[in-house]
Amino acid sequence: MMLHHLLKLIWKRKTRNLMLSLEILLAFVIVFAIAAFATYYHRLYQLPVGFQYQAMWSVTIETRGNGALKSDPQIYDKIRRGLLALPEVEQVGFASFPVYEMSSITSKFTLPDGSRPLVSSELEVSDDFFAAAGMTLVAGNWFSAADDGAAATPVVINRSLAAHLFPDGDPVGRRFSEKAHEGKATHLYKVSGVVDEFRNQGEYMAPVNFMLKRFVPQAVDYGLNAIVLKVKPGTPRAFESTLNRQLKQVHGDWSYTISPVADLRSAMLRLQLIPLLIMSVIAAFLLLMVGFGLFGVLWQHTTQRIPELGLRRAIGASAVDIYRQIVAEQLLLSTLAMVVALALLVQLPLTGALSGMLSWSVFGTATALSMSVIYLLSLLCSLYPGWRAARLSPTQALHYE
């Protein structure tokens, strides 16, 4: 009965409540967007990146006026032996570009018969990259010198790529090719091993198809410009100068950008969180304005209803009853506004418009968080108007003009 009575009161003042409902609806949509992004980022952060950054250092080679780094096996061997001679260095590997950098290479691939076309990110690495990066296999083997002269380039792929290319069985040992383009011959790849995941851009990178292909200096005319080092735990930042001197002995006219991967990770996380932080600041200001507007409207509505509330007091309603009525009406009005908003927002997961980010689990979590914030905002804004109305005596209320 109480709910039916409150709904009748809200309906009788539908014109006045319309603007209030629109403000609540807008606030809910804003909070929902922030909550959805935050939930999605939180879930990404919980996923494995596929490598161990804690003991990794990264070196980027800049050749300056000498052009691109040449594919000379002697250069890589000299760099490797020189760095392994340092007591702080445990493993040395090479890659096309460092991890925790906004770099990516993507290509189109298919099975040899042209079926199952897809797009995958890729990174070219040396045989010793996996040990330097602390990676773990879930199936197969790492590629190595035993693959020299193989007709198909050995690759390590992640589970996602394996599931898309070979959903019918074990991917290890099976082949796929680069999609033919303008009549050019396709390049053939053979799966050597499978890793759970590899997200080179870090914790906030969305999972994608990924493959790491073997780099063989003798077989190509280009080089790898990134060195990946596994160092002993506790290696100080001062090691950078020692490392730079050692690299200068290999090639004195090159320049080297040296960083612990933990520092690259911190910088990348800050960069990737900037959009969410900007949205949060904007949302905070909008919610503050909505809160002030909601408070003002509620105060005005309560003032206009003083004769009505006084009549309720005169026929036996207590101050607590009046207080509860004001708060309950506002919470009910907020509920109705959020139901309308959800009827619109639910179309996103239903149509798959943001399927990469807004899954049903993210939608549910964002809805719960948003409703909690709006209910709290509505409660706070209705407390003082309700308290003010509850303090009026029946005599004052009935004589109010």
Side-chain angles (χ1 to χ4, degrees):
M1 291 297 293
M2 184 62 181
L3 178 62
H4 182 260
H5 176 68
L6 291 176
L7 287 172
K8 285 178 64 177
L9 290 175
I10 291 174
W11 178 253
K12 287 180 179 179
R13 294 186 297 276
K14 54 183 177 294
T15 304
R16 296 178 182 177
N17 288 331
L18 179 60
M19 187 58 66
L20 196 60
S21 300
L22 290 176
E23 286 189 9
I24 297 170
L25 189 149
L26 175 62
F28 178 79
V29 171
I30 293 169
V31 175
F32 179 89
I34 300 299
F37 270 104
T39 302
Y40 177 65
Y41 274 27
H42 175 73
R43 296 194 176 191
L44 285 180
Y45 191 86
Q46 305 304 313
L47 299 176
V49 293
F51 53 87
Q52 299 177 15
Y53 69 88
Q54 294 87 347
M56 285 176 63
W57 280 51
S58 172
V59 181
T60 303
I61 303 172
E62 298 176 13
T63 56
R64 293 183 178 176
N66 296 324
L69 183 63
K70 300 300 181 184
S71 179
D72 184 351
Q74 294 182 356
I75 292 179
Y76 294 98
D77 186 57
K78 189 176 181 180
I79 293 174
R80 183 182 294 105
R81 286 188 289 105
L83 294 179
L84 287 173
L86 298 174
E88 294 89 349
V89 178
E90 296 182 344
Q91 297 286 347
V92 179
F94 299 88
S96 303
F97 47 81
V99 295
Y100 289 109
E101 182 180 279
M102 296 298 287
S103 298
S104 64
I105 300 174
T106 58
S107 298
K108 297 179 180 179
F109 301 95
T110 67
L111 294 181
D113 61 3
S115 61
R116 299 193 181 280
L118 54 78
V119 175
S120 176
S121 296
E122 60 179 89
L123 179 67
E124 201 159 5
V125 299
S126 63
D127 293 346
D128 36 22
F129 172 84
F130 305 106
M135 297 180 63
T136 304
L137 277 170
V138 296
N141 301 284
W142 305 121
F143 44 70
S144 65
D147 294 300
D148 287 347
T153 301
V155 297
V156 172
I157 62 177
N158 66 351
R159 285 186 189 270
S160 174
L161 183 54
H164 281 85
L165 280 175
F166 313 108
D168 53 343
D170 185 4
V172 176
R174 300 177 71 174
R175 302 188 177 200
F176 63 99
S177 61
E178 198 164 349
K179 190 173 182 181
H181 180 65
E182 297 179 354
K184 294 181 180 179
T186 58
H187 193 92
L188 197 61
Y189 299 96
K190 180 181 178 180
V191 179
S192 177
V194 180
V195 293
D196 182 34
E197 188 56 88
F198 189 81
R199 296 188 291 156
N200 64 296
Q201 294 177 14
E203 284 78 359
Y204 294 132
M205 176 184 176
V208 295
N209 298 327
F210 210 104
M211 86 170 190
L212 299 104
K213 64 180 182 180
R214 188 179 186 227
F215 171 73
V216 183
Q218 305 95 311
V220 293
D221 58 358
Y222 56 87
L224 303 182
N225 290 72
I227 306 173
V228 176
L229 306 175
K230 181 181 179 182
V231 300
K232 291 182 178 178
T235 300
R237 185 61 190 259
F239 175 61
E240 180 180 342
S241 58
T242 303
L243 188 56
N244 189 64
R245 284 196 302 270
Q246 179 62 43
L247 290 167
K248 285 292 186 180
Q249 293 178 15
V250 177
H251 218 295
D253 57 349
W254 290 351
S255 61
Y256 306 92
T257 303
I258 303 170
S259 300
V261 173
D263 290 355
L264 297 178
R265 175 179 179 269
S266 298
M268 177 64 76
L269 293 181
R270 286 194 298 269
L271 178 65
Q272 292 171 325
L273 283 175
I274 285 175
L276 183 60
L277 292 175
I278 292 175
M279 289 178 61
S280 298
V281 171
I282 294 173
F285 279 110
L286 288 174
L287 281 177
L288 188 62
M289 289 189 291
V290 168
F292 279 122
L294 193 60
F295 178 80
V297 171
L298 279 174
W299 193 339
Q300 182 184 22
H301 283 190
T302 304
T303 302
Q304 293 171 346
R305 295 174 60 192
I306 285 177
E308 169 201 333
L309 299 174
L311 181 59
R312 282 205 65 202
R313 290 296 307 276
I315 61 176
S318 66
V320 174
D321 291 334
I322 298 299
Y323 204 148
R324 287 176 178 173
Q325 178 183 342
I326 298 297
V327 174
E329 283 183 20
Q330 180 54 37
L331 294 180
L332 182 56
L333 190 62
S334 298
T335 301
L336 296 175
M338 288 189 287
V339 168
V340 174
L342 284 173
L344 300 174
L345 291 171
V346 78
Q347 305 303 315
L348 295 175
L350 282 175
T351 59
L354 297 173
S355 57
M357 187 195 80
L358 195 61
S359 63
W360 281 109
S361 59
V362 172
F363 181 87
T365 303
T367 298
L369 290 172
S370 305
M371 293 183 73
S372 300
V373 170
I374 297 304
Y375 277 134
L376 179 61
L377 180 66
S378 298
L379 178 63
L380 292 175
C381 290
S382 62
L383 287 178
Y384 181 75
W387 175 80
R388 183 170 175 269
R391 287 183 68 241
L392 288 171
S393 68
T395 304
Q396 289 176 308
L398 291 173
H399 288 84
Y400 180 84
E401 292 183 3

